Amino acid sequence: PSRIADRLSAGIKRFQPVLTSAQSRDVNESDTVIIITDMLSDVFGYDKYAEVTSETAIRGTFCDLAVKLSGALIFLVEAKAIGQELKDGYLKQAIDYAANQGIDWVVLTNGILWRIYKVTFAKPIDQELIAEIDFLALDPKDEAHLELLFLLTKEGWIKTALADYFDKKQALSRFCIAAILLSEPLLKAVRKQLKLLSPDVKIDVEQIRNVLEHEVLKRDVVEGDKAEGACKRIAKAVAKAGRANAKDEERDPPA
């Protein structure tokens, strides 16, 4: 929406000089948290008095910042000093915080870099980097940059923009594409096309699957937990579509 785009654009123009100045002075973590809190309010649209808090206790310790809507925590913010590198160790701490509270989203930031992670409630707890925003590299006139910022806004959250973005990223992942290529309907479609090239040659589905797995696709996209997870998602989606088609046929039987 234009009013949100205007706010995001104005926020970029306002905070880029603030961040540049803070970076040059190498301000400490406490001062960086003040800037981040202002950004959550003025750029991302959260009420910093009612929806942004630093008083969220998790297993006896406090996370740096937490954002809530209608009283429910929606994401945690692990903040570091503006000149500090965002190391994996800091992320682990934030993910542990989120897992203990059953929160799906974690933001790791030093004010300039904003990394958005989706928590995976598996064994062990894992995470996936969904988006990274370099605030100093943003162009206030670039629509793609504004759309990226929109993912983390209050309005974007209400419209499930971040969850939708995650679903789209998962659907387009190399693991999901590989799982689709190796699914039975696609293998049969490939076989049909190959029969057009060689009508007298017998080719079965397993032969095609074998070529795809060992000669076409990289091993890391067909093996491991992520590949297995993608296969399960595809199988579940196919089964759901099959059930829906069966119900449609029951309601509208062939003439």
Side-chain angles (χ1 to χ4, degrees), residues 90-110:
Y90 305 142
L91 175 62
K92 183 182 184 307
Q93 178 176 288
I95 295 298
D96 287 344
Y97 287 167
N100 290 334
Q101 281 286 337
I103 299 169
D104 289 328
W105 302 96
V106 166
V107 175
L108 178 63
T109 180
N110 58 11

Side-chain angles (χ1 to χ4, degrees), residues 118-138:
K118 176 72 167 63
V119 181
T120 303
F121 292 91
K123 291 184 180 181
I125 296 294
D126 202 358
Q127 75 285 326
E128 182 177 346
L129 177 63
I130 303 304
E132 179 173 290
I133 302 169
D134 182 343
F135 207 89
L136 292 182
L138 296 175

